[in-house]
Amino acid sequence: MSTPQKRNLSVMPLQEFVLEGFEGGPQTQALLFALFLALYVVAVLGNLAMMVVITLDARLHSPMYFFLKNLSLVDLCYSSVIAPKALATFLSSSKLITFGGCATQLFFFSLLATTEAFLLAVMAYDRFVAICSPLHYPITMRPSVCACLVLGSYCGGCLNSILQTSFTFSLPFCSSNHIDHFLCDVPPLLKLACADTMINELVLFGICGFIIVGTTLMVLTSYGYITVTILRMCSGGGRDKLFSTCGSHMTAVSLFYGTVFVMYAQPGAVESMEQGKVVSVFYTLVIPMLNPLVYSLRNKDMQEALWRLGQRHTAT
């Protein structure tokens, strides 16, 4: 919310912001650059590999891997919205980002993060139908339905992004243009506002809380039914395979929802900028890097597909 000090500052149309990033001298900035670059390169290569393998291997042309391919695409774009600018600021003395560039980064960052939350819930529903209603699975999860679910995830992300970006950039900003973060996000931008930000904080907490709680309940409900169904199976091998497949998804879900909840869906989250920077590294770079590793290392179908692709490449 606004403070008396903020009200006394002159309101001026800002043309650019300064991304302060992390504190530290040249050595610290160089170390952060190396860390961010390593995370980003692994994220890009891992997600590209997932998309290529799923596209080229006909045995992976199923709803589950269609959703996984879209998740990899979102993760690839998601990290690319943040990492290049962050890397540039580590090497630059000015650390500037234009007003329009900041708004654009916030828009796509919010769109892709929300889309990922919906996609993870859709993937849980897909596993629920596949395991609990296998006879109806080909009809329930036919290609047109899968396409609509993915499109709906993007539309939901776009709606949230429009609301968050428009509410944030409709605020008047004070003469200070220093963003205490390495990216343009709602919480640090609210710190620069000269007006009362109570409504903006309620919108952030309400919408993000609704999305996170709603999708989490969908995931938990789906996996509750899945767990009961798996435990009723007679075949130990079948149980192990299903637990392995579902375990990969639950790992990705826990990592993503856990970090996003800490940042956006709890009262007072806006106040802790230092905590927010560290948490942001996890959900903007670490999670997009880990998702391909989680799904490839713990998924036998993906391992076999990677082996077949390698054999095909060696043969040629």
Side-chain angles (χ1 to χ4, degrees), residues 182-223:
F182 64 88
L183 61 93
C184 288
D185 199 2
V186 176
L189 284 168
L190 295 185
K191 296 286 187 180
L192 306 182
C194 298
D196 190 337
T197 60
M198 176 62 76
I199 294 178
N200 297 76
E201 292 180 27
L202 289 175
V203 168
L204 175 68
F205 174 68
I207 295 179
C208 292
F210 175 78
I211 291 171
I212 294 170
V213 172
T215 52
T216 300
L217 284 176
M218 183 174 179
V219 170
L220 292 177
T221 302
S222 297
Y223 275 97

Side-chain angles (χ1 to χ4, degrees), residues 47 50 67-68 71-72 75 78 113 116-117 119-121 123-124 216 219 223 244-260 282-283 286-296 298:
N47 284 291
M50 292 285 285
F67 296 132
L68 182 55
L71 181 67
S72 294
D75 278 337
Y78 187 28
E116 178 149 346
L119 272 178
L120 290 171
M123 292 171 71
T216 300
V219 170
Y223 275 97
S244 175
T245 302
C246 296
S248 300
H249 184 244
M250 282 304 296
T251 301
V253 167
S254 301
L255 288 169
F256 181 80
Y257 286 147
T259 52
V260 172
F282 275 89
Y283 66 76
V286 176
I287 291 176
M289 177 203 70
L290 287 178
N291 278 346
L293 298 176
V294 168
Y295 282 104
S296 61
R298 299 194 58 177

Side-chain angles (χ1 to χ4, degrees), residues 52-109:
V52 169
V53 170
I54 293 172
T55 300
L56 296 179
D57 197 309
R59 301 184 190 184
L60 300 182
H61 292 177
S62 65
M64 172 181 165
Y65 292 102
F66 172 71
F67 296 132
L68 182 55
K69 181 179 176 180
N70 278 277
L71 181 67
S72 294
L73 175 62
V74 169
D75 278 337
L76 176 63
C77 298
Y78 187 28
S79 56
S80 296
V81 168
I82 305 301
K85 185 59 184 178
L87 290 169
T89 59
F90 290 137
L91 299 179
S92 172
S93 57
S94 63
K95 304 181 185 296
L96 295 177
I97 183 170
T98 64
F99 187 90
C102 188
T104 301
Q105 186 184 61
L106 174 60
F107 177 84
F108 284 104
F109 164 64

